[in-house]
């Protein structure tokens, strides 16, 4: 079975500062990796994903994540955050589980709060 | 527009009164799943379905039922709701393993 650990439950930062949200996973099989974002009172939106190939993946709004197989990590970074980035961020892994369940296992989330 | 539609968005009910939360997707996805989100626990899978008439338990299935009679619909049924089922529920669908899920907007359920 796979598991996901998001090392920080809350990350407060100032606007225009860099940020890193940490994610580690464990799995006995190959995985796909995802970051989702949840803005207040909304559903989850896919931010970016790693399937294969280049270990650095980017989103359209300036976030990037790097897959590190040796450290089983998929940390999310942004060089300069905006107030509008305030949201909860979930790391997730997807692997075959129980035969045919393409189960998405989530971390417990990191609340990013960007202050002016 | 490709989407997953859940109804209702908000629901307050009493213990023991059967309820159904509907979920519909218009993307012809074979895979659908229900999750519940609780503070400090993240999202946990309740049930999933690989295709019509194929459903199975996730991590926290107790107290829930599902059905998949049509490809587009995957309702979540609480036969006898209890206060510990107060939660935020999300339906999601996916084309296959290499795709991320598309999530519905969520249903906030309160059982009193």
């Amino acid at each position: 079975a796979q598991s996901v650990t998001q090392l920080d439950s809350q990350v407060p930062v100032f606007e225009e500062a860099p940020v890193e949200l940490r994610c580690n996973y464990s799995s006995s099989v190959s995985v796909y990796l995802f970051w989702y974002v949840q803005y207040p009172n909304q559903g989850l939106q896919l931010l970016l994903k790693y399937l294969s190939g280049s270990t650095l993946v980017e989103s359209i709004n300036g976030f990037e994540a790097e897959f590190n197989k040796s450290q089983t990590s998929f940390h999310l970074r942004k060089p300069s955050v905006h107030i509008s980035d305030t949201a909860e961020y979930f790391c997730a892994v997807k692997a075959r589980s129980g035969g045919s369940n393409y189960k998405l296992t989530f971390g417990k989330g990191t609340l990013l709060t960007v202050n002016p | 527009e490709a989407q997953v539609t859940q109804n209702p968005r908000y629901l307050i009910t009493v213990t023991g009164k059967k309820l159904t939360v509907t979920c519909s997707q218009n993307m012809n996805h074979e895979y659908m799943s229900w999750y519940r989100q609780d503070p400090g626990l993240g999202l946990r899978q309740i049930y999933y379905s690989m295709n019509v008439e194929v459903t199975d338990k996730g991590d926290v299935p107790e107290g829930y039922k599902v059905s998949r009679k049509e490809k587009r619909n995957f309702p979540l049924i609480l036969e006898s709701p209890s206060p510990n089922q107060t939660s935020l529920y999300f339906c999601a669908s996916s084309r296959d393993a290499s795709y991320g899920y598309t999530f519905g907007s969520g249903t906030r359920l309160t059982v009193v």
Side-chain angles (χ1 to χ4, degrees):
Chain A
Q2 63 264 27
S3 65
V4 179
T5 302
Q6 291 184 243
L7 296 155
D8 306 293
S9 60
Q10 297 187 51
V11 174
V13 295
F14 288 109
E15 194 173 17
E16 298 184 5
V19 71
E20 178 180 78
L21 307 184
R22 297 179 292 169
C23 172
N24 288 92
Y25 71 93
S26 66
S27 176
S28 59
V29 299
S30 296
V31 297
Y32 303 112
L33 296 161
F34 304 85
W35 275 100
Y36 282 84
V37 57
Q38 185 179 30
Y39 297 103
N41 299 313
Q42 294 188 27
L44 284 86
Q45 301 173 30
L46 180 64
L47 188 60
L48 47 76
K49 62 183 177 182
Y50 169 78
L51 305 180
S52 63
S54 173
T55 57
L56 185 66
V57 291
E58 298 178 355
S59 71
I60 58 173
N61 57 354
F63 282 94
E64 63 179 30
E66 186 162 19
F67 170 54
N68 187 319
K69 188 174 182 179
S70 62
Q71 297 186 9
T72 60
S73 67
F74 191 53
H75 301 332
L76 181 70
R77 301 184 182 95
K78 190 171 185 179
S80 176
V81 294
H82 303 288
I83 299 282
S84 59
D85 292 324
T86 293
E88 190 152 25
Y89 292 80
F90 291 93
C91 181
V93 299
K94 196 178 196 186
R96 281 192 179 271
S97 169
S100 59
N101 179 12
Y102 294 127
K103 177 180 172 180
L104 197 61
T105 299
F106 287 87
K108 294 182 178 180
T110 298
L111 179 61
L112 173 65
T113 303
V114 182
N115 299 300
Chain B
E1 180 188 354
Q3 59 185 1
V4 176
T5 303
Q6 290 179 234
N7 281 297
R9 289 292 309 277
Y10 301 91
L11 179 60
I12 301 174
T13 190
V14 295
T15 299
K17 184 177 181 181
K18 180 180 179 180
L19 66 92
T20 299
V21 183
T22 63
C23 174
S24 180
Q25 49 96 1
N26 62 0
M27 297 165 282
N28 203 37
H29 286 170
E30 292 189 347
Y31 186 89
M32 298 185 74
S33 185
W34 277 101
Y35 283 81
R36 61 178 287 173
Q37 183 181 15
D38 302 288
L41 297 177
L43 287 94
R44 295 176 292 168
Q45 190 185 52
I46 303 171
Y47 268 94
Y48 67 95
S49 169
M50 292 298 294
N51 212 326
V52 175
E53 302 292 1
V54 180
T55 64
D56 207 346
K57 298 175 181 178
D59 296 321
V60 288
E62 296 77 21
Y64 304 94
K65 286 176 57 178
V66 293
S67 69
R68 188 94 180 271
K69 294 185 172 59
E70 305 167 281
K71 198 171 189 178
R72 63 184 293 124
N73 295 323
F74 190 45
L76 180 69
I77 303 156
L78 284 71
E79 294 269 3
S80 183
S82 63
N84 64 12
Q85 294 178 296
T86 292
S87 187
L88 179 58
Y89 292 87
F90 288 102
C91 180
S93 71
S94 177
R95 198 180 90 172
D96 60 39
S98 64
Y99 277 72
Y101 287 10
T102 300
F103 282 84
S105 298
T107 296
R108 187 167 293 282
L109 172 66
T110 302
V111 183
V112 297

